[in-house]
Amino acid sequence: MRFDTKALLKLMKQSWRGGGVKIQRTEHRGLWDSFFITGAGWALLIPKENCPGEIAGQIVTWLADMPKIGESKWVVKGCDPQDIPEDDRTIDISRYTTGNYETGMACLPLCTATDALIQYGADDRAAAFPLDAFAVVQAGANLGFLDTEAGIACWKDEDAHGLFWLCDNAGNVPQDVLDAVKHFTPQKH
């Protein structure tokens, strides 16, 4: 599966206009020079060498330069980039990378005005992901896995070796909508 670069760029800009985007350049597990980018309810880890030009270009635009390995910045519209304290950097990365992503998901043929609904588990439970963020992985929605305890789903871009995470938003979806999930058969891709 490949992430939708246009949807990812749109999501990054939406987060930048809202609560901001955190951009870290790190050596992921000592192997890859990578970008770790987070916004509200989503995160992306991608090797620098495989990062789409549009995404790298946006990073350079916001930071006025390519960040060095070990640098971490928070960017938000109308403000200068701010350094992220070391403790916050570690928390952000471990929140997403230490999960137990093993529960498969299936895309459903219904959504709310703001969220895509995904079915998982033997008892047909539902996760919900904001449509703008879900657009990044929609083409391979059934290829993701959920950490049911943390409420975070993960997808992998096989070509770019990138990982994309979304936080489950089901707590903001009416219960009758979540109950309706039990009456649907997942879409086959």
Side-chain angles (χ1 to χ4, degrees):
M1 107 164 252
R2 288 203 50 84
F3 299 151
D4 184 322
T5 302
K6 289 171 88 173
L8 182 56
L9 189 58
K10 180 181 175 184
L11 180 63
M12 288 173 60
K13 289 179 179 181
Q14 181 182 31
S15 292
W16 172 73
R17 286 188 295 275
V21 176
K22 293 179 181 178
I23 302 166
Q24 299 183 50
R25 186 162 168 204
T26 183
E27 286 186 321
H28 181 66
R29 297 186 180 158
L31 301 174
W32 290 317
D33 177 1
S34 301
F35 292 119
F36 183 70
I37 306 166
T38 60
W42 63 271
L44 171 72
L45 176 67
I46 191 163
K48 180 183 173 284
E49 69 183 33
N50 298 339
C51 187
E54 301 92 334
I55 304 303
Q58 188 62 66
I59 290 169
V60 169
T61 299
W62 284 335
L63 299 177
D65 199 1
M66 180 62 68
K68 295 174 181 64
I69 293 175
E71 281 189 331
S72 298
K73 299 286 185 179
W74 172 74
V75 294
V76 68
K77 185 178 181 177
C79 298
D80 291 334
Q82 302 293 313
D83 290 329
I84 300 171
E86 180 67 35
D87 290 347
D88 290 346
R89 290 184 228 172
T90 305
I91 290 169
D92 285 343
I93 291 174
S94 66
R95 175 179 183 208
Y96 293 100
T97 60
T98 60
N100 188 17
Y101 300 99
E102 59 183 22
T103 303
M105 299 180 293
C107 199
L108 291 168
L110 74 154
C111 63
T112 69
T114 58
D115 293 288
L117 298 176
I118 302 296
Q119 192 174 50
Y120 70 93
D123 58 351
D124 298 329
R125 291 176 285 168
F129 304 110
L131 289 172
D132 288 343
F134 187 69
V136 174
V137 295
Q138 189 166 358
N142 292 346
L143 302 175
F145 291 90
L146 183 70
D147 177 338
T148 56
E149 198 168 303
I152 300 174
C154 181
W155 288 266
K156 182 175 184 176
D157 183 320
E158 298 294 334
D159 294 333
H161 303 286
L163 297 171
F164 185 74
W165 294 272
L166 286 175
C167 295
D168 184 0
N169 194 32
N172 293 325
V173 175
Q175 188 59 47
D176 60 336
V177 174
L178 296 175
D179 291 342
V181 166
K182 296 176 183 179
H183 303 288
F184 285 92
T185 303
Q187 295 176 351
K188 304 289 184 200
H189 287 344

